[in-house]
Amino acid sequence: MALALARVARALARDVAPVARARSIVDGICLASYATSARAVDAIHRVVDAKTSSSSTAPRRTGAIGIKCGMTADWDARGCRHALTVVWLDGVEVVRRTGRDGANGYDAVQIGYGARKAKGVTKAELGHFVRHGSGIKRGLKEFRVSRCGTLTPGTVITAAHFAAGQYVDVGGTTKGKGFQGPMKRWGFAGQPATHGNTKKHRAHGSIGQCQDPGRVFKGKKMAGRMGGRRRTVQSAYVWKVDTERNLLYIKGQIPGGAGTAVTIRDALRKPPKLGEQVPFPTAGDDYERGVFVAPLLGKDPFGNDEPARQRA
């Protein structure tokens, strides 16, 4: 235990303020309450991170849960075709709000989507919805927000929460492919089709070395179960927003098949301007109805943006 705490002190010795803060934290933590030294060090880092990050957090609003409807295409004013994924926001509503002063220690909102019958949920789930005065939802998802980005339970999240032209991160579960070979799973080229090859055309070949090391390294690309994993597509472009039908048209592909639920939140690497480009913390009841298309980006691939003298 003493050795682990000494390592923490040496790691924080680059600055005087973190050292003083770490010493006060170490003095306040009961070391006997932790089974191992590693858990005690983790607790110290959690407290330090909470104190250093709480004052510098940027405003952050909640995300939403949508249902992937499928894919379509649209043409812009230049005549370019864009592949789009249609996402439907079906009954997205705030179910519960968590404050930083509560038991969890952070600000978040729990979002529910869709609707289910009472016979389709357990007693615990039904009690959760009744306790918070919400309808029975098909699924729940918690989103971390800033203190100024919290929403009261019962607030409806519509497609007006997002704006055409912004970037979003879309997460979902990919399609399950079952047990697949290395050629489909990892893109291997396979072995020769002729010249003495027998029943090894799609095999991966050697998987190790000799007696040294005498084992197969962990993470070796081999045949196995493919798909069915949680993946996130970052910085997906919102091409069109239909606030009347609560539809989002996102450029490109997103994880999952048609009918599956996906999470949509503001892009981490390309965040929008809160309060200017997108509403903060969310759109009110008086939002504008209609279909909004994002502005054109980049140069015209057909060269129509160039001056006439250059085209001549």
Side-chain angles (χ1 to χ4, degrees):
M1 180 66 69
L3 180 59
L5 296 178
R7 291 178 179 176
V8 174
R10 286 196 301 269
L12 298 175
R14 298 179 181 178
D15 193 1
V16 178
V19 172
R21 186 163 56 250
R23 288 178 179 175
S24 62
I25 293 171
V26 171
D27 295 338
I29 292 179
C30 181
L31 301 179
S33 60
Y34 297 97
T36 60
S37 59
R39 293 185 178 180
V41 174
D42 292 340
I44 294 174
H45 281 289
R46 281 198 298 269
V47 178
V48 172
D49 293 340
K51 288 192 174 183
T52 56
S53 61
S54 60
S55 60
S56 61
T57 53
R60 181 169 53 174
R61 62 179 195 154
T62 181
I65 307 175
I67 299 176
K68 180 178 178 180
C69 301
M71 296 196 68
T72 183
D74 193 9
W75 283 261
D76 57 13
R78 297 169 178 170
C80 298
R81 183 180 183 272
H82 301 277
L84 306 175
T85 302
V86 184
V87 180
W88 175 36
L89 273 63
D90 176 26
V92 183
E93 181 184 352
V94 178
V95 176
R96 183 172 63 94
R97 178 176 59 181
T98 301
R100 188 181 303 176
D101 301 332
N104 295 333
Y106 58 86
D107 296 315
V109 291
Q110 188 181 66
I111 304 295
Y113 78 98
R116 299 184 66 179
K117 296 182 179 180
K119 64 179 182 180
V121 296
T122 62
K123 292 291 184 179
E125 294 174 344
L126 183 60
H128 177 77
F129 293 122
V130 172
R131 187 181 309 112
H132 295 91
S134 172
I136 302 176
K137 297 297 181 180
R138 181 169 294 274
L140 299 172
K141 172 67 177 179
E142 187 179 78
F143 292 92
R144 292 282 190 99
V145 297
S146 59
R147 184 180 292 271
C148 57
T150 57
L151 298 170
T152 58
T155 304
V156 179
I157 306 296
T158 62
H161 185 75
F162 302 94
Q166 76 163 115
Y167 293 89
V168 293
D169 294 340
V170 184
T173 304
T174 59
K175 294 181 180 180
K177 304 293 183 180
F179 193 96
Q180 298 296 331
M183 294 184 65
K184 181 175 181 178
R185 191 185 186 195
W186 302 109
F188 283 8
Q191 298 191 27
T194 58
H195 297 286
N197 196 349
T198 305
K199 297 181 180 181
K200 293 296 180 180
H201 306 284
R202 300 182 63 88
H204 44 61
S206 176
I207 60 174
Q209 294 78 38
C210 195
Q211 186 174 355
D212 185 15
R215 61 186 178 90
V216 179
F217 291 114
K218 293 182 179 180
K220 174 64 180 176
K221 294 181 179 179
M222 300 175 64
R225 181 172 296 180
M226 180 180 177
R229 296 178 179 271
R230 184 75 181 179
R231 291 293 181 264
T232 301
V233 175
Q234 293 185 334
S235 301
Y237 190 68
V238 179
W239 175 259
K240 186 166 58 175
V241 176
D242 188 351
T243 58
E244 294 182 351
R245 297 185 294 175
N246 276 339
L247 296 178
L248 296 178
Y249 295 82
I250 301 175
K251 190 175 180 179
Q253 75 282 354
I254 62 176
T260 58
V262 295
T263 59
I264 311 167
R265 66 187 74 193
D266 296 335
L268 178 64
R269 289 181 170 86
K270 297 181 180 180
K273 296 181 180 180
L274 300 180
E276 299 180 9
Q277 186 179 5
V278 296
F280 183 79
T282 187
D285 297 335
D286 56 346
Y287 62 88
E288 186 176 359
R289 268 73 172 178
V291 180
F292 305 93
V293 183
L296 299 178
L297 296 179
K299 296 182 179 180
D300 188 355
F302 304 106
N304 295 327
D305 293 340
E306 299 179 3
R309 56 181 178 85
Q310 295 183 1
R311 293 200 303 267

